Amino acid sequence: MKKVSANQTVFLLFVVGISFLISGLFLNISFYKNKIYPRTSIDGIDVSGLTFPEAIEKLNQKGLKVKPHTLKISVDDIYVASSSSQLSSHKNYQETVNYIYSSTKQESQFKKALILIKSFFISNKVFTDLEYEEKQLDELVNKLKKEVEIEGKNPSISLKISGKEYSI
């Protein structure tokens, strides 16, 4: 019987180990094919390993409510303001989950593998943007426009730069 040297044993163990790592990685890629990658949270809520609908449902149940606030828009010292409830402020969890869910789906297998490995070590914290109803926001902007509009027959601007005056 032929005796196996120590170098051959180490090489064989190395090849077997690499094979296990690669096969485990591809099994994980297929497991996360329709799920959000590990260590991912939205607004502090863990959505790791959830499918798109499961993540939406969890966020709607446990999601943070929008704190009452006032939105103020201004031009110079003229401003208009409205409360968050009047503007129907809300968080669009569907858009945020779609961003997270689809961010890796179009990548190559190799890139997916790198992203997946990285996700086991580095947290992916995502925050949902606050949205307002467009109609109410447009009304607020139009209100500001009316306050800012100044009519004039011959409007002009003059600048003074280094002592010299210029008219435009």
Side-chain angles (χ1 to χ4, degrees):
M1 182 167 201
K2 184 177 179 184
K3 187 174 181 182
V4 180
S5 72
N7 287 342
Q8 289 174 327
T9 304
V10 169
F11 179 74
L12 182 63
L13 289 174
F14 177 76
V15 170
V16 168
I18 293 295
S19 299
F20 276 119
L21 284 174
I22 291 172
S23 61
L25 186 60
F26 282 103
L27 284 173
N28 269 312
I29 288 173
S30 64
F31 175 77
Y32 283 105
K33 182 178 180 183
N34 295 317
K35 297 182 181 193
I36 297 171
Y37 280 5
R39 299 178 54 99
T40 302
S41 65
I42 298 174
D43 293 341
I45 299 167
D46 184 22
V47 291
S48 302
L50 299 178
T51 63
F52 188 94
E54 291 170 342
I56 296 289
E57 183 179 335
K58 184 174 184 177
L59 289 165
N60 285 332
Q61 287 175 356
K62 294 185 176 185
L64 304 173
K65 303 296 179 213
V66 176
K67 292 180 183 174
H69 61 278
T70 300
L71 179 69
K72 179 178 164 181
I73 55 176
S74 64
V75 173
D76 295 328
D77 61 344
I78 302 169
Y79 71 91
V80 293
S82 185
S83 71
S84 57
S85 60
Q86 289 174 323
L87 295 171
S88 302
S89 62
H90 61 280
K91 291 192 173 220
N92 188 344
Y93 287 123
Q94 180 127 7
E95 188 175 301
T96 306
V97 171
N98 187 46
Y99 166 75
I100 289 173
Y101 185 76
S102 62
S103 64
T104 58
K105 302 306 174 196
Q106 304 302 321
E107 302 292 345
S108 69
Q109 289 291 84
F110 181 73
K111 181 88 175 189
K112 283 181 189 179
L114 291 176
I115 294 169
L116 182 60
I117 291 169
K118 181 181 169 187
S119 72
F120 283 108
F121 301 102
I122 299 172
S123 296
N124 184 15
K125 297 177 183 179
V126 179
F127 297 94
T128 307
D129 292 333
L130 194 58
E131 294 184 356
Y132 301 96
E133 286 299 321
E134 196 170 333
K135 182 181 176 186
Q136 284 95 338
L137 201 54
D138 285 342
E139 288 173 7
L140 192 63
V141 169
N142 288 331
K143 185 177 176 183
L144 180 63
K145 276 184 182 178
K146 287 178 186 174
E147 302 254 344
V148 172
E149 285 180 359
I150 300 172
E151 294 204 20
K153 291 188 178 181
N154 293 318
S156 66
I157 298 174
S158 61
L159 301 171
K160 196 172 191 178
I161 301 172
S162 300
K164 287 188 171 185
E165 199 166 313
Y166 298 94
S167 293
I168 301 174

